[in-house]
Amino acid sequence: MFHTSKTTATTFPEDRNGLGTHTAWYDSSIAAYGYTYHFDAARTYWNYNSSKVHISKNTGSHKKYQDRYYVANSEVKDLIGLAAYYQYTWFSSENVGSNDYWDYCEIVIYENNMRASSNYSSNAVKMNIAHEIGHTLKMGHAPMYYGANYYDSVMNKGFYPIYSSTTDYDRQELYFKWGY
């Protein structure tokens, strides 16, 4: 669906608040759309692969520095998920680039576009969410192919089934960014 040219960087430079260990706040839209299980499974995909990576969950009131997870609908055709990065300033927060230091992330999953996809399934939803959560851990897009080899990664662009456990490639990138 979203295939692009080969990416050379697979992790974003700089760090983020909390490094690889932080808390994600679940907006009520997640439960309203019935995606709580999918978000939990997607967080679990990344958790416990490194002693320095763990994303905990908060469904109560949002606190400063916590990532924010949402489900919404989009008028932009084929947009199935989006990650945005923010840094606090004196009076508010400002949107920054993926290569910058950030204090928290917002991820949005676009339910209407996922549902409209011919690949829409529970596994595809979990993969899409795991992909966006990967961005909150400073993971960039994986190159689709290296020569004749295909990279097994949830960080590939597009709809692909989520793997039952973290792929070797994704685990290697976590170690590279955050350590063992």
Side-chain angles (χ1 to χ4, degrees):
M1 207 174 194
F2 289 103
H3 299 284
T4 62
S5 60
K6 183 178 174 184
T7 305
T8 56
T10 57
T11 63
F12 301 138
E14 296 297 328
D15 287 329
R16 60 154 293 147
N17 182 281
L19 304 173
T21 303
H22 54 276
T23 301
W25 172 75
Y26 283 32
D27 179 71
S28 62
S29 61
I30 293 171
Y33 280 97
Y35 287 128
T36 302
Y37 162 77
H38 300 83
F39 274 84
D40 289 345
R43 275 186 318 102
T44 299
Y45 180 83
W46 294 105
N47 285 345
Y48 311 111
N49 290 291
S50 162
S51 64
K52 299 181 181 178
V53 173
H54 184 78
I55 305 168
S56 58
K57 171 182 171 181
N58 173 17
T59 56
S61 60
H62 178 261
K63 294 178 178 43
K64 191 174 184 177
Y65 297 108
Q66 291 181 341
D67 288 356
R68 302 167 187 184
Y69 295 177
Y70 301 92
V71 177
N73 290 294
S74 175
E75 294 180 10
V76 178
K77 186 177 175 9
D78 296 331
L79 180 62
I80 57 175
L82 185 67
Y85 318 103
Y86 296 90
Q87 189 175 75
Y88 284 111
T89 62
W90 283 98
F91 301 105
S92 64
S93 61
E94 70 178 46
N95 186 253
V96 296
S98 59
N99 291 334
D100 297 320
Y101 172 88
W102 66 69
D103 289 312
Y104 69 94
C105 299
E106 288 184 349
I107 62 171
V108 182
I109 304 305
Y110 296 108
E111 202 272 341
N112 62 321
N113 289 336
M114 283 192 305
R115 191 170 293 282
S117 168
S118 62
N119 294 327
Y120 178 78
S121 69
S122 182
N123 276 344
V125 171
K126 288 186 283 186
M127 190 300 289
N128 181 41
I129 297 167
H131 175 96
E132 298 305 330
I133 291 173
H135 288 314
T136 74
L137 290 167
K138 291 281 197 167
M139 299 292 110
H141 291 133
M144 290 295 295
Y145 293 95
Y146 179 71
N149 298 321
Y150 172 77
Y151 283 102
D152 288 329
S153 173
V154 297
M155 295 313 295
N156 291 333
K157 284 185 161 186
F159 267 127
Y160 300 94
I162 194 168
Y163 304 94
S164 59
S165 62
T166 313
T167 68
D168 290 340
Y169 180 84
D170 290 338
R171 196 169 25 262
Q172 172 189 351
E173 294 302 300
L174 278 179
Y175 295 158
F176 174 76
K177 182 64 185 178
W178 302 114
Y180 293 93

